[in-house]
Structure formats: structure tokens, C-alpha cells
Amino acid sequence: MQRQPLVIGNWKMNGSKALVAHLATAFASQPELLGQVHVAVCPPAVLLNAWQQATQQLAVAAGVQDVNEHADGAHTGEHSVQLVAEAGAEYVLIGHSERRQFYADTEARVAAKLRQVLAYTEQPLRAVLCVGESAEQRYNEQTMMVIEAQLESALATVKADQLSRLVIAYEPVWAIGTGLTASPEQAQQVHGAIRKWLENKWGASGAAVQLLYGGSVKADNATALFAEADIDGGLIGGASLHADEFLAICTAAQARSR
Ligand code: 13P
């Protein structure tokens, strides 16, 4: 089954209204690219509205970097699934390693967030579940054990008919923001294993889930990564803050649509 290439920019706590305008202008000159590669940007949530307005005429999606695991209530500073959906988010990152490491996103919270997103059916929200091992875990040859445990826990209650709303991003923690990218072979090895895991659990609909690689993806390494059989696109941090670089990465993913 042909899987549509997908590139998502994660601005983290960066960006500005000026960058929104700059990136939207850059995409406006690339309608053909946007017809072949699904592109989404997850700016900080307070810039979502600006991004929406700037990209109204463009086939570029918006997303958020996190969501709360509760439907509503006294959770100062947090955003529910309904709030982010009404604000125009189509993608929600869940379980990013920075949130797992620094903001107490335990396996249980990650699973609860994913359940909230998939239970919300008013609008077609898609969840991007982030998984990945630390440098120490890789060194100790625990990579697949760690990733399978993350998948097992987060996806335990997911139903086959929800899979079209699921994306998985493999982001080795040691490659995030470090300039150390996993080699295409290292990344493919993990992606292939994730694909097999999904296929064992759900058959063909599991195998059809888009798998993104993230961790120091740049214009000069994207082509080799996206040439691998099970890497359907990328989750891009630092490079998504630079229009030329981000567009070049999206263009590298275009080869997968042919
Ligand atoms: P970098 O591309 O800056 O390494 O970040 C990757 C990432 O964490 C995307 O979610």
C-alpha cells in the first residue's frame, strides 16, 4: 500500500509571527510540492491562529506540540483536545521526548493523551506518537525493547478503525537537537521493526501507519533517510525554523510520492 509522504515541523518553544508570515510565503510558491507531500507545522499553540490565517489558501496543515490528558477542568495553562481542535489543529504530537524527560509525561499520561485524541471525533485529528531510546539504552542494546514497551503501553487500547488517525515518529533521544542523526540504516532498522510490530498487531491496516523519523534531519541528510523503505517522512525540529531548509526537506520527501 502506498503511504503518503508526511513532513511535520515542530517549532518547540521557538518562532514568531514574523516566521509564520515568512514560512507561509515560502510555501505559497510551492503548490505542486504541497500536492504531493503532506506538510504540517506545529508552532507554539499561541501562534496557531496566526498560522491558520497565513496559510488559509495553502494545503498546509497545523498542529500542536502537546495536549492535556483530561477532557476539561481545572488544569491551569493546559489545552484540551477539543480546544486545540477548535483552534484548527489537525495534528497533535504526543509523548515527545522533551515532554517525557522534563515535563513528567509518563507512559500512563502518554497513553491517556493518545486516548483523548483518538476518542475525539468531531474533527479528524491525527495523533503523532513519539518514541525513541536514549544514548545509554542504545549503547546497552535495549533500543527495540524500549520502543516496543513505549508502543505497547501507548497503543494498548487503540482499535483498528482508529489507525488511519495515528502516525508514529521514531526520534532517538540522542539525535534530537544534537546534530547527530541516526544513519539511514540505523533508522530503517528501527522503522522496519516498528512496522513489523504494527503489522503483527493489526495486519495490513497496522502496516499502513505512516512512520516518521526525527532527530537532526537537515536538507543534506533528508534524501538518504527518506529513501529507506519504511521512513515515510520526517518530524523536523531546528530545521523547520528555516524556510529554505524546511522546504528542501519537504522536497526530499517528494521522491516517495512517485
Ligand atoms: P531536531 O530536528 O532539532 O533535532 O529536533 C527533532 C525533534 O525533536 C522534532 O520533534
Side-chain angles (χ1 to χ4, degrees):
M1 183 190 291
Q2 173 92 19
R3 296 177 304 268
Q4 180 88 19
L6 171 64
V7 178
I8 302 179
N10 173 11
W11 284 9
K12 309 191 178 183
M13 201 172 70
N14 299 298
S16 59
K17 283 193 174 176
L19 183 61
V20 165
H22 181 59
L23 198 56
T25 305
F27 274 121
S29 63
Q30 303 286 336
E32 194 189 329
L33 170 63
L34 296 177
Q36 293 177 351
V37 178
H38 279 173
V39 176
V41 170
C42 302
V46 291
L47 287 178
L48 202 57
N49 190 254
W51 177 258
Q52 287 273 100
Q53 296 203 344
T55 58
Q56 247 168 23
Q57 311 297 329
L58 306 177
V60 189
V64 287
Q65 302 167 15
D66 187 34
V67 76
N68 190 268
E69 68 271 34
H70 302 286
D72 53 26
H75 301 286
T76 301
E78 293 288 284
H79 300 106
S80 68
V81 168
Q82 183 182 342
L83 287 169
V84 302
E86 286 186 353
E90 293 167 62
Y91 287 85
V92 182
L93 307 187
I94 293 178
H96 190 280
S97 73
E98 286 150 17
R99 298 216 56 91
R100 291 180 191 256
Q101 273 181 284
F102 308 122
Y103 297 96
D105 263 10
T106 58
E107 296 288 6
R109 283 187 89 193
V110 168
K113 288 177 180 194
L114 189 69
R115 276 199 302 276
Q116 281 288 342
V117 172
L118 296 181
Y120 187 80
T121 50
E122 305 288 311
Q123 278 157 250
L125 268 185
R126 303 189 81 204
V128 183
L129 173 68
C130 304
V131 297
E133 82 288 0
S134 68
E136 193 187 353
Q137 289 163 336
R138 175 162 282 266
Y139 180 78
N140 290 326
E141 299 183 356
Q142 295 170 326
T143 299
M144 271 330 292
M145 192 186 81
V146 167
I147 286 162
E148 283 181 11
Q150 290 171 338
L151 294 174
E152 201 75 62
S153 158
L155 304 178
T157 61
V158 172
K159 309 273 187 306
D161 64 357
Q162 297 175 314
L163 291 174
S164 62
R165 296 172 56 209
L166 177 71
V167 176
I168 293 176
Y170 168 54
E171 299 206 301
V173 179
W174 49 271
I176 295 178
T178 57
L180 290 173
T181 322
S183 68
E185 297 73 27
Q186 283 174 320
Q188 167 57 32
Q189 198 175 34
V190 176
H191 279 236
I194 295 175
R195 177 100 49 219
K196 219 167 238 127
W197 189 93
L198 292 164
E199 192 170 12
N200 283 343
K201 193 167 163 78
W202 287 292
S205 46
V209 170
Q210 288 158 309
L211 305 184
L212 309 184
Y213 169 78
S216 299
V217 178
K218 308 283 180 226
D220 64 5
N221 58 28
T223 302
L225 285 161
F226 298 161
E228 295 292 339
D230 292 298
I231 303 181
D232 303 316
L235 180 54
I236 319 299
S240 70
L241 300 168
H242 303 279
D244 290 353
E245 187 84 9
F246 190 48
L247 255 74
I249 292 170
C250 296
T251 304
Q254 213 172 355
R256 292 192 72 84
S257 70
R258 299 201 180 102

